[in-house]
Amino acid sequence: MTALTHSAHDFQALVAAWERTSAELGLRLGIVHEADGRPVLVVENELSAAGRQGGLYLSAGVHGDECAPVWALLQWAASAPPALRQRPVLLLPCLNPFGFEQNLRLDACGVDL
């Protein structure tokens, strides 16, 4: 594994890493919502994008002060597991980008998620 060259709470580094990983693996990267000026990313494979049922949904980053799951999800996807080819996969890599960036459980409105 490559050593981090950024803060574990660097949201821009996370977005850039998902952009690279998605492009390398042929995954679709989009924005499902914008929260306090930050994108809430959605990543899916072609089976999910086509509306196939019976897939895998994974999310991370609800509690911004718990950054390890956010990076672990990226590492899992980057390892190109067989699930990414075998079934529909929908990923929401960081549901609370404000909290992630600020190292808080709270969202931008002060709500403890």
Side-chain angles (χ1 to χ4, degrees), residues 43-63:
V43 181
E44 61 185 334
N45 64 7
E46 295 214 9
L47 296 171
S48 174
R52 295 264 316 268
Q53 300 294 312
L56 180 64
Y57 161 79
L58 297 170
S59 64
V62 172
H63 298 147

Side-chain angles (χ1 to χ4, degrees), residues 7 48 67 91 94 97 100:
S7 162
S48 174
C67 64
L91 309 173
C94 187
F100 178 79

Side-chain angles (χ1 to χ4, degrees), residues 35-105:
D36 196 48
R38 294 163 184 87
V40 176
L41 302 176
V42 60
V43 181
E44 61 185 334
N45 64 7
E46 295 214 9
L47 296 171
S48 174
R52 295 264 316 268
Q53 300 294 312
L56 180 64
Y57 161 79
L58 297 170
S59 64
V62 172
H63 298 147
D65 60 345
E66 299 171 355
C67 64
V70 172
W71 294 105
L73 183 57
L74 175 64
Q75 184 177 0
W76 175 81
S79 74
L84 287 178
R85 295 179 305 282
Q86 297 171 344
R87 62 179 56 131
V89 176
L90 178 72
L91 309 173
L92 292 166
C94 187
L95 287 169
N96 181 8
F98 173 84
F100 178 79
E101 205 168 60
Q102 300 300 316
N103 192 19
L104 298 170
R105 292 176 61 95

Side-chain angles (χ1 to χ4, degrees), residues 9-25:
H9 290 277
D10 184 342
F11 185 67
Q12 292 307 316
L14 179 68
V15 171
W18 273 108
E19 287 172 344
R20 284 189 307 275
T21 298
S22 297
E24 289 169 5
L25 297 175

